[in-house]
């Protein structure tokens, strides 16, 4: 998603982030800058909200610097203030966006800005001790005032006994095999672990047992 420069520029975003004038459902943000060795001038500036390894994160960067660094065109033809904001969706999050587009019949830009409104909000400082009650920054409100927050929560499916068996096979079967070989087939250690584990079963384990057996299991 690209925003118009009259709505969004890098400086207020960066200053607000450093001052902590924002709330976010993302637990972290990163900043990556590159500079020219000879004079220290910026060659690139990028901010990331959310982990770049996650299924949903936001990337904000100085498009003017990127164009100047990669392009041979006359720098005078490149806008001095040009900020690009992108949302990156992967896997189930991307599928959820497609669902909203098809079922909600809303424009792509509306869906993207709705996601942004759900996950990130820049603020105007207030004396209120509760930062969540601070008003939104005017420039951020201008960008997102005409959209509703859009949730992309993915309902986790219950793990079945088959899922648990597959996890044991994939994750710890080599470890079990190594112990068995070292102890020459003695399984007393495994029985002790299983007995101890049986006292720590949670409701999700009981539900999986119930589903596997086709009956109700009560704690």
């Amino acid at each position: 998603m690209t925003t118009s420069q009259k709505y969004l520029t890098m400086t207020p975003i960066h200053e607000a982030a450093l001052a902590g004038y924002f709330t976010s459902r993302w637990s972290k943000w990163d900043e990556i800058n590159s500079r020219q060795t000879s004079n220290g001038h910026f060659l690139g500036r990028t901010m990331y909200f959310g982990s770049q390894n996650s299924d949903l994160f936001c990337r904000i960067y100085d498009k003017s610097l990127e164009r100047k660094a990669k392009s041979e065109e006359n720098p005078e033809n490149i806008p001095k203030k040009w900020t690009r904001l992108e949302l990156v969706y992967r896997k189930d999050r991307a599928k959820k966006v497609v669902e909203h587009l098809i079922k909600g019949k809303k424009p792509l830009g509306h869906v993207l800005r709705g996601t942004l409104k759900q996950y990130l909000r820049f603020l105007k400082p207030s004396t209120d001790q509760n930062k969540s009650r601070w008003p939104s920054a005017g420039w951020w409100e201008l960008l997102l005032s005409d959209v509703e927050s859009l949730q992309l929560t993915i309902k986790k499916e219950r793990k079945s006994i088959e899922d648990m068996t597959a996890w044991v096979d994939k994750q710890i079967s080599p470890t079990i095999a190594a112990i068995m070989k070292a102890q020459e087939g003695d399984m007393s250690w495994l029985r002790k672990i299983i007995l101890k584990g049986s006292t720590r079963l949670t409701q999700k384990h009981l539900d999986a047992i119930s589903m596997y057996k086709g009956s109700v299991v009560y704690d």
Side-chain angles (χ1 to χ4, degrees), residues 2-214:
T2 307
T3 62
S4 171
Q5 66 183 62
K6 69 178 180 179
Y7 290 141
L8 198 65
T9 58
M10 196 79 177
T11 299
I13 296 175
H14 185 255
E15 291 178 349
L18 289 178
Y21 296 160
F22 73 98
T23 59
S24 177
R25 290 179 178 271
W26 287 302
S27 61
K28 59 169 286 188
W29 74 277
D30 301 305
E31 181 180 2
I32 298 177
N33 297 322
S34 59
R35 294 175 180 267
Q36 193 167 347
T37 303
S38 60
N39 54 25
H41 290 171
F42 279 111
L43 296 174
R45 298 179 66 193
T46 305
M47 299 173 67
Y48 293 93
F49 289 88
S51 171
Q52 297 174 57
N53 296 321
S54 67
D55 293 345
L56 174 62
F57 66 91
C58 175
R59 175 169 52 228
I60 305 173
Y61 62 96
D62 192 318
K63 185 67 175 178
S64 295
L65 290 176
E66 183 196 52
R67 285 285 295 274
K68 290 175 183 177
K70 296 182 178 181
S71 176
E72 296 181 357
E73 68 180 292
N74 187 340
E76 297 298 325
N77 296 331
I78 300 174
K80 292 182 179 180
K81 293 184 179 180
W82 184 2
T83 301
R84 188 177 179 92
L85 188 153
E86 298 174 348
L87 285 168
V88 179
Y89 303 82
R90 298 192 182 109
K91 300 178 181 178
D92 288 339
R93 302 286 182 174
K95 293 178 182 177
K96 202 72 177 177
V97 168
V98 174
E99 285 182 17
H100 280 292
L101 288 171
I102 296 174
K103 296 179 180 179
K105 297 180 180 180
K106 294 180 179 179
L108 178 59
H110 192 98
V111 171
L112 296 178
R113 289 189 297 125
T115 303
L116 193 59
K117 191 168 187 175
Q118 175 72 9
Y119 280 83
L120 183 63
R121 187 167 72 93
F122 288 97
L123 310 170
K124 181 179 179 181
S126 166
T127 56
D128 194 321
Q129 295 297 313
N130 188 340
K131 192 162 66 171
S132 66
R133 290 197 291 261
W134 289 7
S136 297
W139 47 270
W140 193 249
E141 186 68 23
L142 187 61
L143 176 66
L144 303 176
S145 61
D146 62 335
V147 297
E148 298 293 329
S149 297
L150 186 66
Q151 294 188 6
L152 294 176
T153 48
I154 308 297
K155 186 177 180 180
K156 292 184 178 180
E157 295 182 0
R158 292 182 179 179
K159 286 189 176 181
S160 65
I161 293 297
E162 290 81 4
D163 293 331
M164 296 177 187
T165 303
W167 182 87
V168 170
D169 181 27
K170 182 178 180 180
Q171 300 293 333
I172 63 173
S173 57
T175 301
I176 295 174
I179 298 173
M180 291 286 291
K181 283 184 176 294
Q183 300 199 15
E184 298 181 344
D186 179 20
M187 297 184 65
S188 60
W189 64 274
L190 183 58
R191 285 193 289 271
K192 290 179 182 178
I193 290 175
I194 294 172
L195 183 61
K196 186 183 294 185
S198 67
T199 65
R200 296 162 52 196
L201 294 176
T202 64
Q203 190 58 47
K204 71 176 182 180
H205 299 118
L206 298 175
D207 290 343
I209 295 170
S210 175
M211 184 170 60
Y212 184 77
K213 289 185 173 183

